[in-house]
Amino acid sequence: MPAPPRLEWIYDEHDPQGLPRRILDPHGNVLLRRDRTGDHERLWLRLPDHRQIALVLDAADHAVLGRCDAVVSPEGETLALASAVDWHHPTSIPALDRPGALPPGAGTAILDLLAWRALRAGSDPLRYRGPYPSAALWSALEASFRVDEPVARAQARFLAGAEQRALAGTMDTIDVAFHPAPHVRCWPRPRICVQHRAGIERIHLDGHAFDPAPTSMRRLQRDGDDVVACIAVGPTIVAELLRLDPSGEPRDEPSPLPPAPPALCGTPLPDAVVRVLGEVVMAQAPRLLVPGLRDVLASARVVWGDPGLSLVRWRGDALELHGALVAALPTDPTALLGVLTLAVEGPLRRAAAARLARAFEASQA
């Protein structure tokens, strides 16, 4: 297995133990750059689609989280607040007030920087201190940290009482020790971001993530020594889009995703099917999200369309599923329900969480 590529960390000559001035991947892409605005340091992080976000350090106060760093867009919009971190010597995992407001890949980029800084500082294992432990946060932490106990047991402890913590704004530390195990992102081609750690763990094509999970529709699969990014429904491969050698170099340019059949675009799923999907999604959701999910589902339509590599996206009040998937859908009703649930669950939950966040902000105004 090839070793992960090495990053180049560039420090100020007078402060070699401080925060890096820049971090470069082996292809010369800037993963991080540091600057200052007014009294605040900013850490600019590159996302898989080449967009940037900034961490403005020690920037604001939050009613629940206390002193915070701000996650800011290039235009200066504050996207979220995160409990402040000592980035020279991290001691805890920060809580984020609005994770759903971040662009794709931003949360993972922040946590990976945290893991790198903790590793270089020789910090003890980090623990999460905050009111919002979630399955999504756990998944993001797994990309840059490891636990030294059975994963299922650690995850159960991490998520125990999550809803009560959120309602109460509990800032106690959760006793699950996360050991830094950061990954490396690099861009061998402008459209392709490869995430290395124990081999190639994830790739992004045009900002869309492909991973090895057997339920993922954007999936990484092994073919001999190569890694293949493909679109899949269950065991059925719909299209192979990209092939990488073991070091992460593309064998060729990416192939396009087959278009949706034009006659299918705009065709809605039957109302009865959408109702069943909604019931399944609500049954599996955290209790706090159920009212928001019910509101979203009351006005949402689910239609076939051509959302590109997103595969599933919102367009107005319609949730579009890619029509190219239809030919690979299972005929067994139970299996079909499972596939459709996996496809719509994430977008529905994010829409419900956004509604809840807006309602909470309005109540605090």
Side-chain angles (χ1 to χ4, degrees):
M1 181 183 297
R6 295 180 64 86
L7 302 178
E8 182 181 0
W9 293 63
I10 301 171
Y11 289 88
D12 293 322
E13 292 183 6
H14 64 277
D15 189 15
Q17 302 304 315
L19 293 172
R21 182 157 44 88
R22 285 188 298 165
I23 303 175
L24 306 179
D25 81 351
H27 306 278
N29 296 294
V30 179
L31 278 70
L32 175 143
R33 61 183 174 89
R34 190 188 84 227
D35 66 15
R36 177 173 288 275
T37 174
D39 295 331
H40 300 289
E41 283 193 294
R42 298 186 300 185
L43 305 178
W44 289 93
L45 299 173
R46 180 187 294 266
L47 305 186
D49 61 359
H50 297 286
R51 284 188 291 177
Q52 295 187 77
I53 57 164
L55 273 171
V56 183
L57 306 189
D58 193 30
D61 291 307
H62 186 278
V64 175
L65 303 182
R67 196 63 183 164
C68 286
D69 300 332
V71 185
V72 176
S73 72
E75 295 75 30
E77 177 189 3
T78 297
L79 303 174
L81 296 177
S83 45
V85 168
D86 176 359
W87 288 96
H88 293 84
H89 197 293
T91 57
S92 63
I93 294 165
L96 197 67
D97 68 339
R98 292 191 297 164
L102 299 185
T108 305
I110 293 169
L111 290 173
D112 201 57
L113 175 63
L114 181 74
W116 275 112
R117 292 301 302 163
L119 189 67
R120 293 177 75 89
S123 300
D124 291 333
L126 307 187
R127 290 168 171 80
Y128 175 75
R129 180 177 177 271
Y132 311 124
S134 66
L137 175 57
W138 177 271
S139 178
L141 286 165
E142 283 190 306
S144 301
F145 294 85
R146 61 173 178 82
V147 294
D148 56 1
E149 60 179 301
V151 172
R153 186 172 70 192
Q155 184 179 19
R157 289 212 328 277
F158 183 76
L159 297 176
E163 293 181 5
Q164 292 81 0
R165 290 180 69 92
L167 288 170
T170 302
M171 289 296 293
D172 294 343
T173 298
I174 297 177
D175 189 21
V176 175
F178 290 93
H179 299 261
H183 62 258
V184 173
R185 283 178 177 170
C186 62
W187 285 260
R189 305 274 177 87
R191 296 176 60 194
I192 302 166
C193 174
V194 184
Q195 183 171 309
H196 300 259
R197 191 167 55 169
I200 298 170
E201 294 189 342
R202 174 175 288 185
I203 72 126
H204 294 80
L205 178 58
D206 296 334
H208 299 284
F210 291 71
D211 64 57
T215 57
S216 177
M217 290 185 177
R218 290 191 300 265
R219 191 176 306 168
L220 282 188
Q221 297 206 153
R222 300 282 172 180
D223 183 8
D225 291 334
D226 285 356
V227 177
V228 180
C230 57
I231 303 300
V233 176
T236 303
I237 303 301
V238 176
E240 179 181 310
L241 304 183
L242 179 65
R243 182 175 288 263
L244 307 174
D245 72 16
S247 70
E249 286 295 320
R251 296 288 190 187
D252 208 341
E253 291 300 316
S255 300
L257 177 64
L264 191 59
C265 292
T267 302
L269 270 67
D271 290 343
V273 173
V274 176
R275 283 197 297 273
V276 173
L277 284 173
E279 291 298 327
V280 173
V281 170
M282 285 191 289
Q284 296 175 350
R287 183 168 53 89
L288 284 175
L289 276 186
V290 171
L293 282 168
R294 189 172 288 114
D295 288 346
V296 170
L297 288 160
S299 59
R301 297 177 300 121
V302 183
V303 303
W304 296 108
D306 196 342
L309 280 176
S310 297
L311 299 183
V312 185
R313 73 176 175 197
W314 285 101
R315 176 170 287 183
D317 65 350
L319 188 58
E320 282 189 329
L321 306 181
H322 203 297
L325 304 174
V326 168
L329 292 176
T331 55
D332 175 74
T334 301
L336 176 61
L337 179 62
V339 167
L340 292 176
T341 300
L342 285 169
V344 304
E345 185 174 33
L348 288 173
R349 284 194 182 194
R350 287 191 289 273
R355 290 198 180 198
L356 287 175
R358 289 195 296 270
F360 177 78
E361 289 171 2
S363 71
Q364 300 300 304

